[in-house]
Amino acid sequence: MRRNLIATALLIMSSALLAQDMRIKVINQRGEPVAGAVVYVVTSLPADKQPTTAEPVIIDQINKEFVPHISAIAAGTAVKFPNRDNIRHHVYSFSPAKSFELPLYKDAPPAPVVFEKPGIVTLGCNIHDWMTSYIFVAPHRYFTVTGKDGSATMRDLPAQALEFEVWHPRQKEVATVTRQLVATGGMTLAFRIEEKTVLRPFRGQANSKNSY
Amino acid sequence: MHKDRAVWLPALLLVVALPQVQAAEWSEWLVNGRYQHFYTENIGKTSFDEVVRSENIHELRFELGRVLQVTDSARLRILADLRHQSHRRFDQLDRTDPGLSLGLRNKSGLGPSAWWQELLLSYQEISPDDPLREGHQQSFGLAVGRRFSERFDGVLSWSRVSRDGGTGEPRAVDLTRPTDVFDQSADVLRLQWNTVLSENWLMAASLSRQHGDFDSQCPNSGVTQVVATVNPAALSLDVNVFGSCIYRTDGNIDVLDLEWVWNISHHISASLLLRHQDGGGPELGYHNKAAQLEVSYQF
């Protein structure tokens, strides 16, 4: 996840936010909000400044799609993959950060999957090739994922110089920005990323042309 | 043709036996609807300019089926269909027929790039208002394919297609030859290459060679030439439809298809197909161009 800095970041002071919260805004090259962008702190932080481990995260399979399409978790987090469809799915990942397989199952798989290693994990379903999902595994808990409006809030950040990066599966290159958090007010970080086309096997009738 | 029907015995055994596999489970329902408008320049596949006829065909098709997940890597697709074809000029060819297809597909590995292999069987009734053409068609085939990258995938398939036609009314042109022009069998080898152009557009190019029987129209005045040139296996008057003669011979038919598919939503797509076809031999070859527009809905 190393960089080639291409993004422009704007720092906007805002007294409406708490001192150690960071408002995030991610837009693309056309100025449109980018949903599902993962913004995270790159600066290494002492362990005692990191929040405690959270409950297992859930990635559903609904109507032959993974929901959510993009997730972010801290290393060491367990993820459950419940299948809400009335057919079976076969979840797998080849990613170096976590390679695993949950052979055909319905309802809930036997146990959650723990993601120990930071990195990007791409999930697929071996039955429905168009089903894909991404898990961003961060080395700590200072990250957030933007919503439909391209914005998010990162809370309880330590008041020190911090370097941030943004990642999205459609992003051409990682965008990085460094900012000093101040105790007297919140900030908004705005990232502008260059989006690329991400191709996946078609769903729908066209799917019959090229899918298992 | 009875030996071809023997294919359906193992097919029946598959349908009965595979659900008994311990891990097997009925999964997805398949409900599809399609509308096609097909234009062909040379519907009679004729080599004679004076009997070249173009045609516009409208087809509505409804498909209902189910998938049996046999193992972690194998799926059996059973699909029944009902199709209605309406011809603008030659309405004697209009028909409403049921069909059935089976596809047993195995994926050798995990992920979208794994090779897959498929065994295919199909059966289609053919019942136009013409005793010569009335009958059925069935096919048995094998296919292998894989996705080579996020943009490209390919399929290589072989199939044996058999058609059992009628003998028509007793109007033989040449009493020494049979009139069962539509009793045909042929092998089809096909290579298809799909290119994902964007997140919603796909282009499919395929090249196929059919080797075996095919039918071709000829004018009554051309019968002597046909007999002398290709020595047809069957010959008949085609009084009900084209009003000329029709014969069965064997040879190659090469087909190049280019298709653009627009994936409108998860359930709806539209496509345009352009076809170039060369058939027959050096003496009595034919050419055809065709185009097809399709809108389909998949549940």
Side-chain angles (χ1 to χ4, degrees):
Chain A
M1 287 182 286
R2 281 300 93 173
R3 47 218 76 159
N4 276 325
L5 178 61
I6 57 122
T8 303
L10 300 172
L11 178 64
I12 303 165
M13 304 301 292
S14 168
S15 58
L17 296 174
L18 295 175
Q20 292 179 340
D21 289 352
M22 180 73 81
R23 287 283 298 166
I24 308 289
K25 182 74 178 176
V26 181
I27 58 172
N28 63 16
Q29 64 268 37
R30 295 178 297 279
E32 300 158 344
V34 177
V38 180
V39 178
Y40 56 101
V41 173
V42 184
T43 311
S44 67
L45 297 167
D48 62 351
K49 288 191 176 180
Q50 297 185 21
T52 53
T53 304
E55 289 296 305
V57 169
I58 290 176
I59 297 178
D60 286 314
Q61 295 143 73
I62 301 172
N63 192 21
K64 300 178 195 171
E65 296 285 356
F66 287 108
V67 179
H69 183 52
I70 301 167
S71 312
I73 60 173
T77 303
V79 178
K80 290 180 177 175
F81 294 95
N83 176 1
R84 313 282 184 193
D85 288 334
N86 59 4
I87 56 172
R88 292 187 286 176
H89 291 296
H90 184 156
V91 179
Y92 68 87
S93 160
F94 297 138
S95 303
K98 184 69 182 180
S99 178
F100 71 98
E101 184 183 349
L102 300 174
L104 283 174
Y105 68 95
K106 263 185 181 177
D107 305 322
V113 178
V114 179
F115 293 76
E116 302 92 351
K117 196 172 161 188
I120 294 159
V121 178
T122 304
L123 304 176
C125 171
N126 203 39
I127 305 299
H128 311 98
D129 281 336
W130 65 83
M131 287 177 66
T132 54
S133 180
Y134 302 91
I135 304 177
F136 182 94
V137 186
H140 50 63
R141 301 209 156 265
Y142 293 108
F143 58 81
T144 189
V145 182
T146 58
K148 285 182 181 174
D149 61 354
S151 62
T153 301
M154 202 180 295
R155 300 193 183 281
D156 301 328
L157 287 164
Q160 65 175 81
L162 295 171
E163 186 180 10
F164 297 87
E165 282 185 350
V166 61
W167 175 86
H168 190 274
R170 290 177 176 274
Q171 183 180 10
K172 281 185 177 169
E173 295 174 86
V174 172
T176 309
V177 66
T178 304
R179 285 294 176 254
Q180 171 74 53
L181 270 180
V182 292
T184 54
M187 301 178 180
T188 297
L189 273 184
F191 289 90
R192 183 174 179 275
I193 64 172
E194 293 281 325
E195 282 190 310
K196 64 181 179 184
T197 301
V198 174
L199 302 175
R200 61 174 180 165
F202 283 6
R203 190 173 172 170
Q205 198 57 46
N207 176 46
S208 63
K209 303 282 179 208
N210 67 347
S211 183
Y212 165 62
Chain B
M1 290 296 145
H2 292 295
K3 66 178 190 292
D4 295 318
R5 287 180 183 169
V7 165
W8 286 91
L9 182 61
L12 185 64
L13 289 173
L14 272 181
V15 173
V16 172
L18 289 180
Q20 312 307 318
V21 175
Q22 193 173 9
E25 181 181 87
W26 291 102
S27 56
E28 283 106 315
W29 283 96
L30 303 170
V31 182
N32 306 324
R34 301 169 193 261
Y35 166 75
Q36 290 178 352
H37 180 185
F38 186 76
Y39 168 79
T40 177
E41 266 185 4
N42 183 1
I43 188 173
K45 300 192 284 286
T46 183
S47 313
F48 297 87
D49 289 343
E50 58 266 46
V51 288
V52 170
R53 302 283 186 270
S54 64
E55 180 59 297
N56 286 278
I57 305 165
H58 301 274
E59 180 175 299
L60 272 174
R61 194 188 310 179
F62 177 72
E63 298 169 330
L64 178 65
R66 194 122 198 232
V67 173
L68 177 74
Q69 187 75 43
V70 183
T71 67
D72 279 1
S73 61
R75 286 157 71 81
L76 176 69
R77 185 191 64 246
I78 303 174
L79 200 62
D81 70 76
L82 184 67
R83 64 184 74 183
H84 171 74
Q85 278 190 357
S86 168
H87 295 69
R88 188 173 291 174
R89 296 176 68 184
F90 302 103
D91 56 7
Q92 305 90 334
L93 296 175
D94 290 357
R95 59 192 185 95
T96 303
D97 292 319
L100 184 69
S101 68
L102 297 179
L104 178 62
R105 185 178 286 205
N106 180 67
K107 197 174 183 182
S108 303
L110 268 184
S113 299
W115 282 97
W116 56 260
Q117 310 82 36
E118 187 165 13
L119 173 70
L120 296 155
L121 287 166
S122 73
Y123 177 89
Q124 180 70 51
E125 281 288 320
I126 301 174
S127 58
D129 187 16
D130 175 34
L132 192 63
R133 290 172 170 81
E134 200 168 33
H136 63 266
Q137 179 169 294
Q138 52 200 354
S139 70
F140 165 79
L142 298 166
V144 292
R146 71 163 291 197
R147 193 177 185 225
F148 294 97
S149 70
E150 65 175 16
R151 197 175 284 279
F152 302 114
D153 74 272
V155 180
L156 179 66
S157 64
W158 163 83
S159 61
R160 162 149 286 219
V161 183
S162 304
R163 179 171 173 182
D164 190 358
T167 53
E169 294 161 21
R171 293 180 181 177
V173 182
D174 178 350
L175 291 175
T176 65
R177 293 175 198 274
T179 57
D180 54 350
V181 173
F182 290 95
D183 278 0
Q184 302 173 0
S185 67
D187 295 290
V188 182
L189 190 63
R190 185 165 187 256
L191 177 65
Q192 180 171 324
W193 189 256
N194 300 315
T195 304
V196 178
L197 302 174
S198 72
E199 291 176 39
N200 294 310
W201 282 90
L202 178 144
M203 188 178 83
S206 74
L207 191 60
S208 68
R209 165 161 285 195
Q210 173 181 319
H211 177 74
D213 299 328
F214 69 95
D215 55 278
S216 183
Q217 294 285 327
C218 69
N220 295 342
S221 59
V223 170
T224 308
Q225 184 186 349
V226 167
V227 170
T229 311
V230 299
N231 188 24
L235 180 64
S236 176
L237 284 171
D238 189 13
V239 287
N240 287 329
V241 182
F242 294 106
S244 53
C245 288
I246 189 165
Y247 62 92
R248 165 164 54 91
T249 185
D250 62 352
N252 295 327
I253 299 176
D254 295 323
V255 179
L256 173 66
D257 283 342
L258 289 176
E259 185 177 18
W260 290 265
V261 182
W262 178 26
N263 207 31
I264 299 168
S265 73
H266 286 175
H267 300 283
I268 301 171
S269 69
S271 66
L272 169 67
L273 179 145
L274 300 178
R275 171 171 294 172
H276 180 87
Q277 193 173 34
D278 284 312
E283 298 90 0
L284 274 179
Y286 76 90
H287 308 286
N288 188 21
K289 287 179 182 166
Q292 176 184 284
L293 272 172
E294 179 181 287
V295 178
S296 63
Y297 172 83
Q298 183 182 49
F299 175 66

